[in-house]
């Protein structure tokens, strides 16, 4: 952590001259396949989910040989549902073997209980630091209705319970993510109570209208979902108080995580009440996004393919004239408030607004 301020200062200087830095974070969608059909997510309805083109361990290994990735510290593993990928554990081990990654953030719907628990046992045996977030949007049948599958709440709770029985607090970091919409805004206290009962963290965030990454139509809307005045006030009160749930402040990283979450929450609430200002985006400068098939994208909103790591190195992709045009576009953007894009941008820009 001592080297980070210097490193991010260099990142910002490079950004001034349109030069990408060695990324510290990768957002990697390991698969677009999903076993649920969530009401506000289009990933399960994509025309092409790249199911036959997903990156293998060998392809990831070759990708990681790029010297530009020598300072990669964090890998955010998303989907689809990450645990549908049979070689997920092998790929995560490859990252650990060939890069200095310190922590893996994995988000899951919690439905595949046995596979998730077995994977966490395996990761623990290898000494990997895992931050696992289970998405729970409501309680009981109400959650099932939002997730499009009966029994999804019961499975998510079973996963939480099973992990709590076999894992000590320091083995993995477990949390609940809740995406907030008009239908479930009144359930925020209940989901927070569930997190308290399992002694895990709680992260509530307001849903987005549309981002092209999960939309075959390519439509884009940077706004948050529409909420009634009552729902806005509930979200404001619940996310401002007792937020971000239980995070152990036993080291600098945990303290930093709490600050980051509070910053992100404030930005969401500002946006909800039309007080939001553009942020300093660092996409492609200090972090980037990788699709299941190896496509490199600018972000979740600008999904034009910059290149594919099966055909060319990450460094080569960054040198393209097309990529340089995107770098200029990024510097003039900062319109979204999506956590996986905004949070690393805020950290790596030395908290500059």
């Amino acid at each position: 952590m001592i080297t980070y301020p210097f490193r991010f200062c260099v990142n910002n200087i490079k950004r001034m001259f349109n030069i990408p830095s060695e990324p510290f974070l990768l957002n990697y969608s390991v698969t677009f396949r999903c076993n649920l059909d969530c009401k506000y997510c289009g990933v399960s309805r994509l025309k092409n989910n790249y199911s036959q083109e997903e990156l293998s361990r060998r392809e990831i290994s070759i990708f990681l040989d790029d010297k530009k990735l020598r300072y990669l510290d964090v890998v955010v593993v998303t989907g689809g549902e990450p645990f549908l990928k049979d070689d997920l554990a092998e790929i995560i081990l490859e990252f650990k073997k060939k890069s200095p990654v310190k922590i893996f953030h994995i988000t899951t719907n919690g439905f595949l209980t046995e596979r998730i628990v077995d994977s966490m046992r395996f990761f623990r045996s290898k000494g990997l630091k895992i931050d696992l977030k289970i998405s729970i949007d409501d309680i009981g049948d109400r959650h099932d209705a939002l997730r499009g599958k009966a029994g999804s709440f019961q499975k998510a709770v079973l996963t939480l319970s099973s992990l709590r029985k076999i894992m000590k607090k320091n083995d993995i970091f477990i949390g609940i993510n809740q995406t907030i919409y008009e239908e479930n805004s009144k359930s925020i206290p209940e989901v927070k109570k569930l997190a308290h009962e399992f002694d895990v963290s709680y992260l509530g965030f307001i849903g987005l209208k549309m981002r092209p990454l999960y939309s075959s139509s390519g439509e884009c809307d940077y706004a948050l979902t529409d909420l009634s005045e009552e729902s806005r006030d509930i979200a404001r009160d619940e996310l401002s108080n007792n937020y971000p749930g239980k995070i152990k402040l036993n080291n600098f990283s945990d303290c930093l995580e709490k600050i980051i979450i509070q910053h992100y929450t404030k930005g969401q609430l500002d946006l909800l009440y039309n007080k939001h200002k553009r942020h300093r985006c660092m996409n492609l400068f200090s972090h980037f996004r990788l699709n299941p098939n190896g496509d490199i994208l600018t972000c979740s909103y600008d999904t034009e393919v910059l290149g594919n790591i099966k055909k060319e190195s990450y460094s080569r992709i960054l040198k393209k004239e097309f990529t340089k045009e995107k770098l200029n576009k990024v510097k003039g953007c900062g319109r979204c408030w999506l956590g996986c894009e905004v949070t690393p941008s805020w950290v790596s820009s030395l908290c500059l607004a």
Side-chain angles (χ1 to χ4, degrees):
M1 298 304 297
I2 295 174
T3 65
Y4 279 10
F6 173 76
R7 177 179 176 184
F8 293 151
C9 182
V10 172
N11 288 356
N12 282 268
I13 294 172
K14 285 186 175 182
R15 185 180 186 272
M16 292 171 59
F17 297 96
N18 242 39
I19 303 172
S21 304
E22 288 82 2
F24 85 99
L25 181 143
L26 165 64
N27 281 305
Y28 176 24
S29 298
V30 296
T31 183
F32 279 160
R33 291 175 289 132
C34 193
N35 49 354
L36 302 185
D37 186 19
C38 302
K39 186 173 181 179
Y40 294 100
C41 175
V43 70
S44 61
R45 297 181 291 277
L46 286 173
K47 294 176 182 177
N48 181 9
N49 65 5
Y50 307 120
S51 60
Q52 303 303 312
E53 307 169 55
E54 292 175 2
L55 293 168
S56 66
R57 176 176 181 169
R58 180 177 179 276
E59 288 165 335
I60 286 291
S61 180
I62 294 172
F63 163 65
L64 292 173
D65 285 334
D66 193 327
K67 291 183 179 180
K68 196 75 175 177
L69 302 174
R70 58 186 172 176
Y71 298 128
L72 194 62
D73 284 343
V74 181
V75 176
V76 179
V77 178
T78 61
E81 169 51 45
F83 288 96
L84 284 175
K85 189 162 175 60
D86 291 335
D87 58 351
L88 175 65
E90 295 177 10
I91 284 176
I92 287 180
L93 280 183
E94 196 65 27
F95 272 100
K96 187 62 179 176
K97 174 183 174 183
K98 302 196 73 171
S99 66
V101 175
K102 297 177 177 63
I103 185 168
F104 295 89
H105 294 266
I106 306 176
T107 302
T108 174
N109 57 39
F111 196 87
L112 301 172
T113 300
E114 290 186 11
R115 182 174 293 190
I116 294 170
V117 172
D118 288 345
S119 296
M120 292 304 107
R121 280 198 182 103
F122 177 74
F123 294 144
R124 179 181 60 180
S125 72
K126 298 298 181 179
L128 299 181
K129 186 174 182 183
I130 304 291
D131 182 336
L132 183 73
K133 296 292 175 59
I134 298 175
S135 298
I136 298 180
D137 294 335
D138 213 317
I139 303 298
D141 293 342
R142 301 194 303 270
H143 172 84
D144 293 356
L146 288 172
R147 292 277 160 172
K149 193 163 189 173
S152 55
F153 176 77
Q154 184 180 10
K155 282 284 191 176
V157 171
L158 177 61
T159 299
L160 273 172
S161 176
S162 300
L163 288 173
R164 266 288 166 253
K165 288 178 182 178
I166 66 169
M167 299 287 181
K168 297 178 181 178
K169 287 186 179 181
N170 293 332
D171 287 337
I172 57 172
F173 183 84
I174 307 173
I176 289 176
N177 281 355
Q178 181 183 19
T179 309
I180 298 160
Y181 295 95
E182 181 67 29
E183 290 90 333
N184 66 340
S185 59
K186 294 181 180 178
S187 301
I188 300 174
E190 294 178 81
V191 179
K192 289 173 71 175
K193 181 181 178 182
L194 182 70
H196 177 75
E197 290 173 354
F198 281 101
D199 195 20
V200 299
S201 74
Y202 168 85
L203 174 59
F205 52 92
I206 301 161
L208 305 167
K209 279 195 173 179
M210 180 66 71
R211 54 174 171 152
L213 185 64
Y214 292 155
S215 171
S216 296
S217 68
E219 295 178 9
C220 180
D221 191 331
Y222 293 97
L224 301 178
T225 187
D226 294 324
L227 295 179
S228 65
E229 183 177 352
E230 179 185 11
S231 294
R232 286 201 309 270
D233 291 344
I234 292 173
R236 178 196 62 203
D237 294 341
E238 291 295 336
L239 299 187
S240 297
N241 299 326
N242 302 319
Y243 198 88
K246 295 202 171 194
I247 288 183
K248 305 181 295 299
L249 298 180
N250 56 1
N251 58 47
F252 183 77
S253 295
D254 289 337
C255 182
L256 179 61
E257 183 171 355
K258 181 173 183 179
I259 294 170
I260 291 169
I261 291 175
Q262 288 174 334
H263 166 77
Y264 182 71
T265 303
K266 181 181 184 303
Q268 277 222 321
L269 296 179
D270 286 346
L271 185 59
L272 194 62
Y273 287 91
N274 299 315
K275 299 177 182 178
H276 179 64
K277 297 179 181 179
R278 291 192 181 194
H279 68 93
R280 183 183 179 88
C281 187
M282 296 289 286
N283 269 307
L284 293 180
F285 288 102
S286 65
H287 58 99
F288 66 104
R289 181 168 289 278
L290 178 64
N291 261 7
N293 67 330
D295 285 342
I296 298 291
L297 312 178
T298 302
C299 66
S300 296
Y301 289 92
D302 186 345
T303 58
E304 284 189 281
V305 178
L306 304 177
N308 189 290
I309 65 168
K310 293 179 181 179
K311 301 175 182 178
E312 52 192 336
S313 69
Y314 178 66
S315 293
R316 185 180 178 86
I317 292 171
L318 289 180
K319 292 177 181 178
K320 291 181 174 180
E321 287 301 318
F322 183 60
T323 304
K324 292 177 182 177
E325 293 173 8
K326 291 297 183 182
L327 291 170
N328 273 322
K329 184 177 179 180
V330 165
K331 289 166 73 172
C333 191
R335 287 175 288 176
C336 79
W337 201 254
L338 173 63
C340 53
E341 315 284 11
V342 171
T343 296
S345 288
W346 186 65
V347 172
S348 58
S349 62
L350 294 177
C351 308
L352 296 174

